[in-house]
Amino acid sequence: MTAHTRSTGRWRMLRGILLALLALLLSAFATGWWLLAGSRALLDGKRPLPGLGASVSISRDALGTVTIEGKSRSDISYALGYVHAQERYFAMDLMRRVAAGELSALVGPAALKLDLNHRRHRLRAVVEAAYAQLPAAQKLELDRYRDGVNAGLTDLRVRPWEYMLLGSKPQPWRSEDTALVIAAMYLDLNGDGRNERELHIAQMRAALPGPLVDFLLAPDPDWEAPLKGALSPAPVIPAADVFDLRRAAPAVPQGSLAALASALDPARPGSNSFAVAGTLTSSGAGILANDMHLGLRVPNIWFRTRLRYPDPHAPNGLRDVNGVSLPGTPAVVVGSNGQIAWGFTNSYGDWLDWVRVLRDPADPGRYKVPEGWARIESHDEHIQVKGRPDTLLKVEDTRWGPIMAKDTDGTPLALAWIGALPRGYNVELMQLERMPDVVSALDLAPRLGMPPQNLLVADSAGHVGWTLAGNSIPLRVGIDPQLPSDWTKPGSGWQGWAAPAQYPRVENPADGRLWTANNRTVDGDALALLGNGGHDLGARAQQIRDDLRARAGFTPADLLDIQLDNRAVLLSRWQQLLQQTLADHRDPALQQLRQLSATWQGHAAIDSVDYRLVRAFRSKVSQAVLAPFAAQVKRRYGDFSWPGENSAEAAVWALIQAQPMQLLDPKYHDWPALLVDAARQTATELGQQPGGLAARTWGEHNPSEINHPLSAALPHWLGRLIDMPDQPLPGDNNMPRVAAPGFGASERFDVAPGHEAQGILEMPGGQSDHPLSPYFGAGHADWVKGRPTPLLPGSAQHTLILEPAAG
């Protein structure tokens, strides 16, 4: 055999191997593509399904907006469940698992800490009890929705792609799982059900004089914008005989700055909602605007939805509802029915209280109650963890709630929380789509089983109104709701629930304008009833109020302009302070900082350098002012953090204006030294990054980061395919256009009921979670750019008919 022959034979063998490998790769690719494509939603055709009373059509426009038309609301619920399952089952499953503390069974040990926190509430048992006590009509809607969900899941040729990636199978939907989705919203909007805020307030009050704590946690009347009632009094700076840092016990500052994160206005669940009366519109109808601020992901939490079904009480006998539904529930959460439009913002009332549990020294299994002693109930919760043995969690439960913490003196604390009570769950929210006017909608609000929210409503006759929605506002007696309390005295603690007549409400204000933005809305007895769960500073609400007062007439597009307002009103005085601080300094870095922030554009725009620098300066000043007080508390309680949802703007600004020496960190010889040091830190930390200070734009600091929950587990190049493009965003927390990485307006909704054709609905993240769907990311670019997206669906591109199965 010649060398040439041997070489030819090796080449042929190598070519055969390469061809075989190529065939295997192509086969694997084809198989993967086939499997991935098999989990796409059905868009066209006819599907016979058991349980339907009549045919239902499901059409989709270019954005994937789903229009469901049927003969009854129960058939609509079935079809909505079908569509939700086909487009969003994995997201629905995550929400129920997060609430129930069952996420580790799906994704493994990474979720165990979260499961341990949530399983203490035993929310699956809570929602089972809630479902059992619902009226028959509500059970029917949940059962019809459940059947539709499971039919939609079954009709996928292949299970949703996320489960293939995780090597798991989706579990069927249960009727009570809808309440778990509501429970997930309770957790998101009520501090994750842990009430750490009040634990840290208790630590502050145990470590510092009362007047000092009152001052440090005081609201800021400069920025408040209540709907009714007076502004808060100006904070009172404690005198040296109350507290003097120069004579305070030495405190190690280690960890103090990290403990202050909550004092620096971090992103938190919230919303904007505002309305104008018909006297301010050309149509004579009121107009509502709503944008709910939540963590953003792929797909978005909301689902663009239109429902059409016969209703003798609707205009022309046809109920036509446009808005967003929440996958996992059969309700349109925010929307318009042609007669009213409604929207929500988180109220930040006080819905959790710590109760001191006084154990019997002779029998620790007993605890004191008003009528004597009761036994602590013990529950063994087995948490399944994928790839590992179960984790056992022992839950000690009292009549008030589970024991979850200790008071500053070591006394066990039980958490009373409305989200852990069966009464807090129902689907009365579905009735909003049938309400004819503002009055009837506000009357319905006290019956809604949901986290207590500000409800704003506008109607087609031009009326507007506000109240609290939610059926569980506790009546407190004999306790301080901001601190752990003793409920063993007869008649103390939570003594029933607010009656509808006790709910505060505002209808048709004289100037025709209403606004809420997680701020304090009322004062006096109404505030005492609702409590303070961490109201927003108020700068955002005040800016919305002032924007509304600056115009004499409105269209939906005008309200969108207010939602997109990124003017930095709060930071204007901080820009002036920075300029004054550096006026006489010749340090080159400080001179550059002053020069770059001198021309104040006053916007959180993506190309703004001045905004980013002034914002960083404010944070550094706030840290320097508050650090010695945090250090004093951490000296006694090492786990201390500044109470969440409690801006320290009022205290910080008062101190740097008055400059009392007794409350200055002793490491500074005077207050100007503190301000210069904060400026120097700003210049140093930002200046040492590539390009120096002049390259530090706000957009660099504020990327969108709207990602799929599983993308981080994939190679970067592959994860990018299931995330939204990472783009710089304008906006920030203390202005109407709220934006932070992975956080912001989960929708922008603007509509005059009865004039939906001029309505607007923007939504990030797209309608479908499937990367091969034509609706993956649909509409996202409009949301990024703030371009008005029509509320009403466009022409149908696909239509699927669900038909009753024979027999």
Side-chain angles (χ1 to χ4, degrees):
M1 181 179 294
T2 66
H4 174 74
T5 302
R6 289 195 299 271
S7 176
T8 301
R10 286 196 296 269
W11 165 244
R12 286 175 178 171
M13 182 173 65
L14 178 60
R15 185 176 65 177
I17 293 172
L18 290 173
L19 288 173
L21 287 174
L22 179 60
L24 285 173
L25 287 173
L26 289 174
S27 176
F29 178 80
T31 300
W33 186 270
W34 184 86
L35 289 172
L36 183 60
S39 60
R40 287 183 298 182
L42 299 176
L43 302 181
D44 297 289
K46 295 183 179 181
R47 288 293 302 146
L49 295 169
L52 279 172
S55 295
V56 181
S57 71
I58 303 170
S59 62
R60 291 171 168 87
D61 73 348
L63 291 176
T65 304
V66 169
T67 298
I68 302 177
E69 299 189 65
K71 300 297 185 184
S72 68
R73 186 54 169 92
S74 61
D75 279 349
I76 293 285
S77 295
Y78 183 104
L80 186 60
Y82 184 96
V83 173
H84 281 167
Q86 293 235 315
E87 298 280 18
R88 298 285 194 87
Y89 194 78
F90 183 69
M92 295 162 56
D93 192 15
L94 289 185
M95 289 191 76
R96 67 172 173 176
R97 287 178 178 273
V98 163
E102 298 171 356
L103 192 57
S104 299
L106 181 65
V107 302
L112 184 56
K113 181 179 179 181
L114 184 69
D115 278 353
L116 288 169
N117 285 332
H118 293 177
R119 187 67 74 86
R120 288 183 171 89
H121 296 295
R122 303 181 64 244
L123 289 173
R124 184 166 287 283
V126 171
V127 300
E128 288 172 352
Y131 174 78
Q133 67 186 28
L134 287 177
Q138 292 191 40
K139 285 184 178 179
L140 173 65
E141 293 299 334
L142 292 179
D143 293 348
R144 302 292 289 133
Y145 182 78
R146 171 205 64 201
D147 294 343
V149 168
N150 290 328
L153 184 61
T154 301
D155 265 5
L156 292 173
R157 178 164 55 82
V158 178
R159 68 185 184 268
W161 66 270
E162 293 96 339
Y163 296 95
M164 291 191 289
L165 188 64
L166 293 169
S168 302
K169 293 183 178 180
Q171 300 301 308
W173 195 259
R174 293 185 263 186
S175 296
E176 61 269 22
D177 287 345
T178 289
L180 280 176
V181 173
I182 299 173
M185 298 306 296
Y186 268 105
L187 288 165
D188 201 22
L189 299 173
N190 290 178
D192 206 31
R194 290 187 286 175
N195 201 18
E196 292 183 328
R197 177 177 180 271
E198 290 179 5
L199 290 177
H200 296 318
I201 291 176
Q203 290 173 331
M204 291 182 75
R205 294 207 173 276
L208 300 172
L212 176 60
V213 178
D214 292 341
F215 169 71
L216 292 173
L217 300 182
D220 194 335
D222 289 347
W223 299 107
E224 290 182 318
L227 283 178
K228 57 190 301 187
L231 299 179
S232 298
V236 177
I237 298 175
D241 61 343
V242 173
F243 187 77
D244 192 332
L245 279 170
R246 296 167 296 186
R247 296 194 294 269
V252 178
Q254 185 176 3
S256 297
L257 295 185
L260 292 172
S262 297
L264 305 179
D265 301 328
R268 58 172 177 168
S271 306
N272 300 329
S273 196
F274 43 101
V276 294
T279 53
L280 302 172
T281 72
S282 60
S283 69
I287 308 178
L288 175 92
N290 181 256
D291 48 293
M292 296 178 282
H293 309 149
L294 299 167
L296 303 179
R297 67 188 187 201
V298 177
N300 190 34
I301 186 173
W302 311 115
F303 193 79
R304 299 176 67 101
T305 303
R306 185 179 195 178
L307 308 179
R308 292 164 60 88
Y309 58 93
D311 182 349
H313 303 292
N316 302 316
L318 178 68
R319 183 61 64 194
D320 190 351
V321 187
N322 291 272
V324 294
S325 57
L326 173 59
T329 79
V332 173
V333 177
V334 169
S336 178
N337 68 0
Q339 296 171 293
I340 68 165
W342 66 94
F344 296 101
T345 65
N346 198 21
S347 63
Y348 280 98
D350 188 359
W351 317 121
L352 311 91
D353 282 325
W354 289 109
V355 185
R356 289 171 59 86
V357 179
L358 307 179
R359 293 183 185 265
D360 182 353
D363 182 359
R366 299 199 312 167
Y367 67 102
K368 193 174 182 182
V369 295
E371 64 272 21
W373 299 95
R375 298 215 66 83
I376 292 175
E377 296 181 12
S378 182
H379 303 276
D380 289 343
E381 294 289 318
H382 294 265
I383 300 178
Q384 296 180 5
V385 183
K386 183 179 180 180
R388 288 189 183 180
D390 289 1
T391 294
L392 179 64
L393 173 68
K394 290 188 175 293
V395 178
E396 290 188 305
D397 218 349
T398 71
R399 63 173 53 180
W400 305 301
I403 296 175
M404 295 180 59
K406 292 183 178 180
D407 204 351
T408 54
D409 63 356
T411 300
L413 296 177
L415 185 63
W417 176 38
I418 62 172
L421 301 175
R423 65 168 287 118
Y425 297 88
N426 62 45
V427 286
E428 287 280 356
L429 177 62
M430 294 176 66
Q431 295 304 314
L432 268 177
E433 67 190 52
R434 299 175 183 268
M435 294 297 103
D437 52 38
V438 163
V439 171
S440 60
L442 300 188
D443 288 345
L444 175 68
R447 291 162 38 197
L448 304 186
M450 60 184 286
Q453 302 285 291
N454 293 301
L455 169 65
L456 259 69
V457 186
D459 68 24
S460 57
H463 306 295
V464 293
W466 163 87
T467 190
L468 258 287
N471 67 356
S472 299
I473 297 179
L475 298 176
R476 295 177 170 94
V477 179
I479 64 170
D480 181 347
Q482 295 287 293
L483 294 173
S485 302
D486 181 358
W487 291 21
T488 64
K489 297 177 182 178
S492 64
W494 290 3
Q495 297 295 313
W497 307 97
Q502 294 175 277
Y503 279 56
R505 75 196 252 175
V506 177
E507 294 178 55
N508 299 318
D511 69 349
R513 296 165 174 87
L514 290 172
W515 59 89
T516 67
N518 316 119
N519 55 305
R520 176 176 66 84
T521 53
V522 293
D523 67 355
D525 292 342
L527 179 59
L529 174 67
L530 305 181
N532 178 8
H535 294 130
D536 186 79
L537 171 64
R540 178 161 44 95
Q542 188 182 103
Q543 196 162 328
I544 292 170
R545 180 201 67 189
D546 293 347
D547 283 347
L548 290 171
R549 289 177 175 174
R551 299 176 187 243
F554 297 89
T555 66
D558 293 327
L559 297 194
L560 176 61
D561 287 344
I562 295 175
Q563 291 173 317
L564 297 174
D565 179 6
N566 64 4
R567 291 178 302 120
V569 176
L570 173 68
L571 287 193
S572 292
R573 65 186 188 183
W574 286 92
Q575 185 266 348
Q576 296 170 13
L577 176 66
L578 178 58
Q579 293 296 300
Q580 295 164 5
T581 298
L582 300 182
D584 298 323
H585 285 270
R586 296 292 176 261
D587 180 279
L590 296 183
Q591 282 186 329
Q592 186 187 24
L593 176 60
R594 188 172 191 269
Q595 179 183 11
L596 290 171
S597 59
T599 304
W600 178 238
Q601 302 298 321
H603 286 261
I606 60 175
D607 60 351
S608 173
V609 173
D610 56 334
Y611 178 80
R612 184 174 178 187
L613 298 181
V614 173
R615 186 184 191 274
F617 172 67
R618 173 179 179 250
S619 294
K620 291 298 182 184
V621 172
S622 298
Q623 288 175 339
V625 170
L626 299 174
F629 306 110
Q632 288 293 319
V633 184
K634 285 185 73 68
R635 185 172 62 87
R636 290 185 58 177
Y637 306 104
D639 61 344
F640 171 74
S641 294
W642 200 267
E645 288 78 49
N646 207 110
S647 172
E649 177 76 11
V652 171
W653 191 255
L655 289 174
I656 60 179
Q657 293 302 301
Q659 301 191 357
M661 292 304 297
Q662 75 271 15
L663 297 181
L664 174 67
D665 191 328
K667 76 178 186 179
Y668 298 108
H669 64 270
D670 59 19
W671 282 91
L674 180 150
L675 296 174
V676 171
D677 184 56
R680 182 170 286 108
Q681 289 185 50
T682 300
T684 301
E685 291 182 14
L686 296 181
Q688 66 188 4
Q689 298 176 31
L693 275 181
R696 301 284 73 78
T697 65
W698 178 242
E700 176 192 55
H701 182 75
N702 204 43
S704 55
E705 292 186 7
I706 301 175
N707 302 329
H708 191 283
L710 296 183
S711 67
L714 298 174
H716 179 67
W717 66 269
L718 188 56
R720 290 176 58 188
L721 298 178
I722 59 174
D723 295 337
M724 291 297 101
D726 204 11
Q727 298 166 281
L729 292 179
D732 199 1
N733 296 329
N734 284 304
M735 57 188 61
R737 186 167 190 169
V738 169
F743 183 88
S746 58
E747 42 75 62
R748 297 188 188 107
F749 178 70
D750 307 276
V751 66
H755 304 272
E756 284 74 14
Q758 289 77 50
I760 297 166
L761 175 57
E762 297 179 356
M763 201 177 80
Q767 185 83 329
S768 175
D769 73 351
H770 202 293
L772 299 184
S773 169
Y775 307 122
F776 180 79
H780 178 78
D782 285 347
W783 176 87
V784 171
K785 298 298 184 182
R787 293 191 295 256
T789 308
L791 166 63
L792 290 185
S795 58
Q797 293 190 340
H798 300 276
T799 300
L800 176 68
I801 306 296
L802 306 184
E803 299 179 322

